[in-house]
Amino acid sequence: MELTLRFFANFREDVGQKELEREFSSGANVGEVLESLSEEYGIDVFEDGELRPHVSIMKNGKDVVHLDGTKTTLAAGDRLSIFPPVAGG
């Protein structure tokens, strides 16, 4: 299945572009996609096997924290947006 992956801030720098179209196996979940991106681009989204605090992953505009977290199942055509922690003041 093909997914659209969107990257923001330093994750965009790690990947070298703001958006990718990528094929994944049917029934893949958010965690599997993130693991693949972590291995390929060094995107640091996990801490002790869990999603790092303040990292936001959006599936079609909805935060996966309010779905099934990293176990959220994906379908062809879904858009996954990956936001790093942001600090400011």
Side-chain angles (χ1 to χ4, degrees):
M1 71 179 162
E2 185 170 283
L3 303 175
T4 300
L5 307 171
R6 297 177 61 207
F7 304 94
F8 296 86
N10 61 313
F11 290 158
R12 183 178 290 176
E13 293 172 16
D14 293 341
V15 174
Q17 54 191 324
K18 66 180 179 177
E19 189 172 291
L20 290 173
E21 300 288 327
R22 184 63 59 91
E23 285 287 327
F24 289 93
S25 61
S26 181
N29 65 35
V30 170
E32 292 166 338
V33 170
L34 294 174
E35 286 175 17
S36 173
L37 295 171
S38 180
E39 289 173 13
E40 186 171 349
Y41 297 105
I43 293 173
D44 188 17
V45 295
F46 294 108
E47 182 175 291
D48 298 325
E50 299 292 325
L51 199 57
R52 294 177 66 87
H54 309 294
V55 168
S56 294
I57 309 298
M58 308 290 278
K59 174 190 171 186
N60 302 327
K62 294 182 181 179
D63 194 327
V64 298
V65 168
H66 303 294
L67 300 172
D68 289 325
T70 57
K71 294 181 181 173
T72 301
T73 303
L74 299 166
D78 280 347
R79 184 180 67 229
L80 209 60
S81 301
I82 304 163
F83 298 86
V86 178

